[in-house]
């Protein structure tokens, strides 16, 4: 398979994908059976876990494959300012909160500027594999600008996948255009299937030149969202559903939403926490509606996991986000800077880069599998959590003091299961350690048994040890997956020999961690 072939190869396998999506709807949400624990699409997504036609679609999409997000980047272009409805968690001064962190404002672009920006980013960041349009309003409330941008990019940069995120209200009207333009990945934000729940989230919609409110608005919206999802999956287009978890309003109900979208062939479900604060000026922010704690979010994701694949590595990024999911570089690509750039988009060099990445990924997967196979006879139900400092590429390659986030995994005899990324205020500031940051970092990962780093100073090392968190730096610059399993094996050995006692750690601070990550 050509390593750069992305959405341009879909004509030949649309039929395969359609059939597989049917399997997804009928089975566990990823079209595969998984023997040793959960390794499915949104969580681990390795080549061996997925049918080939689906793997070709997700293998370089950082949102649709957790494993791919270590290696590939996405960018958004903010070409869609208008919206056709109102959500109670949105303030229209800012970007669409369905895919973006509330309170963030993007620089709006016209399609020609968006093309230039895409080529500039593709030239500077070889990992770039996906162009998404996610706002700042709703892309399908701005169909001309959205589709014109996709057309321009598809022609000029055929190795970049096209991705769209929408509230779904206008979706059924545009499915044919989406299919014609080979937009291979579509996200629909679906927060309810019961209009009684919907009326508490959406005060109004604007549909067919008319404004609707209350129950009627929620009924139309829900019908259109589910119809759009069915139409897309019928055409073999991979769909992700985003849901904003709003405690007391739709938290319990999202289990029903999960079943409804799974039965219509959705590939992945991304349940995101409501981020609500009075300064955002939203209805929910001003009324004191709280977001979920990390514990509540994880419990809901776990409850839905049996039905289908859950995305757990979402960063709720900006409508103008650029780069790897954990490393936003949007500030480097303002319009002013782009206009001054000498852009050299080179298809061949990007292809060569991807060939190299795919070789490295294969080596990492093989090494992890080999390490895991040595656990085959283990039956322990011990599941320690670990935090990993990484800059990407699937390696433990970040210094503790420079880390802006940790990737948290739960280890078991089935392998490493991602629990999500936790943002932190990095410890090292101008060459010195910041005490308050250190305390906050330790609180953020205090349910973890170990932290994997490339390097760490004496002070944080001793404070982590005092907090009962083992510092693991012997795997510096090595593969993450293989290293975590190797450490887990030695951890199990110590527990079994009585050298070490396994303790469940730190659940008491999970509330605090949710506050940290929302900050
Ligand atoms: Fe962008 Fe969304 Fe496409 Fe990804 S983001 S349009 S699917 S390319 Fe990804 Fe960002 Fe989460 Fe969205 S991490 S907010 S899920
Ligand atoms: Fe805001 Fe997006 Fe909702 Fe429109 S769809 S109101 S832009 S959150």
């Amino acid at each position: 398979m050509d390593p750069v072939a992305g959405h341009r190869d879909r004509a030949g396998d649309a039929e395969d994908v359609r059939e597989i999506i049917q399997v997804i709807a009928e089975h566990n949400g990823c079209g595969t059976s998984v023997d040793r624990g959960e390794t499915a699409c949104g969580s681990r997504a390795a080549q061996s876990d997925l049918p080939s036609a689906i793997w070709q679609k997700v293998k370089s999409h950082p949102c649709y494959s957790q494993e791919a997000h270590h290696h590939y980047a996405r960018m958004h272009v903010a070409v869609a300012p208008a919206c056709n409805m109102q959500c109670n968690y949105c303030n229209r001064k800012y970007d669409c909160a369905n895919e973006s962190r509330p309170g963030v404002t993007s620089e709006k672009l016209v399609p020609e500027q968006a093309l230039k920006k895409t080529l500039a980013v593709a030239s500077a960041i070889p990992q770039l594999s996906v162009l998404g349009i996610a706002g700042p309003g709703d892309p399908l409330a701005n169909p001309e600008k959205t589709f014109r941008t996709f057309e321009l990019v598809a022609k000029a940069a055929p190795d970049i996948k096209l991705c769209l995120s929408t509230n779904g209200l206008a979706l059924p009207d545009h499915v044919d255009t989406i299919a014609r333009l080979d937009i291979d990945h579509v996200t629909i934000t679906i927060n309810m299937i019961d209009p009684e729940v919907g009326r508490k989230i959406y005060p109004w919609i604007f549909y067919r030149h008319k404004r609707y409110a209350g129950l009627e608005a929620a009924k139309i919206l829900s019908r259109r969202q589910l119809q759009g999802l069915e139409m897309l999956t019928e055409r073999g287009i991979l769909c992700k559903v985003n849901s904003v978890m709003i405690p007391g309003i739709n938290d319990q109900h999202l289990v029903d939403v999960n079943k409804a979208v799974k039965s219509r062939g959705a590939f992945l479900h991304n349940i995101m926490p409501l981020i609500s604060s009075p300064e955002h000026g939203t209805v929910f922010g001003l009324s004191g509606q709280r977001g979920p704690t990390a514990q509540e979010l994880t419990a809901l994701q776990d409850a839905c996991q049996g039905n289908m694949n859950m995305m757990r590595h979402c960063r709720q990024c900006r409508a103008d986000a650029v780069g790897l999911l954990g490393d936003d570089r949007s500030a480097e690509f303002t319009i002013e800077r782009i206009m001054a750039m000498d852009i050299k988009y080179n298809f061949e060099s990007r292809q060569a880069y991807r060939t190299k990445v795919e070789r490295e990924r294969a080596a990492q997967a093989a090494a992890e599998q080999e390490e895991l196979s040595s656990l085959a006879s283990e039956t322990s139900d011990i599941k320690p959590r670990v935090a990993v400092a990484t800059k990407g590429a699937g390696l433990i390659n970040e210094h503790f003091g420079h880390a802006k986030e940790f990737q948290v995994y739960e280890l078991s005899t089935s392998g490493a299961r991602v629990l999500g990324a936790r943002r932190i205020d990095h410890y090292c500031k101008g060459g010195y350690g910041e005490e308050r940051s250190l305390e906050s970092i330790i609180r953020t990962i205090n349910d973890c048994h170990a932290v994997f780093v490339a390097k760490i100073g004496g002070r944080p090392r001793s404070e982590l040890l005092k907090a009962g968190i083992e510092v693991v730096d012997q795997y510096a610059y090595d593969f993450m997956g293989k290293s975590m399993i190797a450490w887990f094996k030695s951890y199990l050995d110590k527990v079994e020999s009585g050298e070490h006692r396994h303790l469940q750690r730190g659940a008491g601070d999970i509330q605090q961690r949710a506050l940290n990550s929302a900050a």
Side-chain angles (χ1 to χ4, degrees), residues 455-468:
K455 206 169 177 188
I456 188 166
R459 171 102 179 116
R461 179 189 291 272
S462 73
E463 291 302 312
L464 282 157
L465 285 172
K466 266 193 235 162

Side-chain angles (χ1 to χ4, degrees), residues 80-92 94-99 134-139 166-168 189 191 202 204:
C83 191
N84 47 12
M85 58 190 261
Q86 181 64 55
C87 307
N88 279 335
Y89 48 74
C90 177
N91 176 349
R92 302 283 285 281
Y94 304 122
D95 291 354
C96 175
N98 281 335
E99 279 251 330
D138 184 71
T166 174
N167 62 35
T189 298
N191 294 320
Y202 306 105
W204 57 262

Side-chain angles (χ1 to χ4, degrees), residues 1-20:
M1 175 73 194
D2 177 349
V4 297
H7 60 288
R8 239 51 69 201
D9 63 4
R10 74 181 289 277
D13 59 26
E15 189 60 35
D16 288 355
V17 174
R18 206 166 19 248
E19 275 174 29
I20 292 161

Side-chain angles (χ1 to χ4, degrees), residues 61-64 74-76 99-100 130-134 163-165 187 240 242 270 272 311 313-317 325:
H61 196 306
C63 303
Y64 281 66
R74 54 74 186 99
M75 67 175 289
H76 291 164
E99 279 251 330
S100 302
V130 179
L131 171 72
I133 300 183
C163 191
L164 172 74
S165 177
T187 295
K240 171 165 76 64
N242 280 0
N270 176 23
M272 308 183 296
M311 179 179 185
H313 62 285
C314 176
R315 307 299 205 280
Q316 288 175 279
C317 39
L325 295 192

Side-chain angles (χ1 to χ4, degrees), residues 392-409:
L395 303 174
I396 301 163
N397 55 2
E398 184 63 292
H399 292 206
F400 177 86
H402 300 164
K404 289 183 270 186
E405 64 173 33
F406 285 108
Q407 308 232 354
V408 175
Y409 289 82

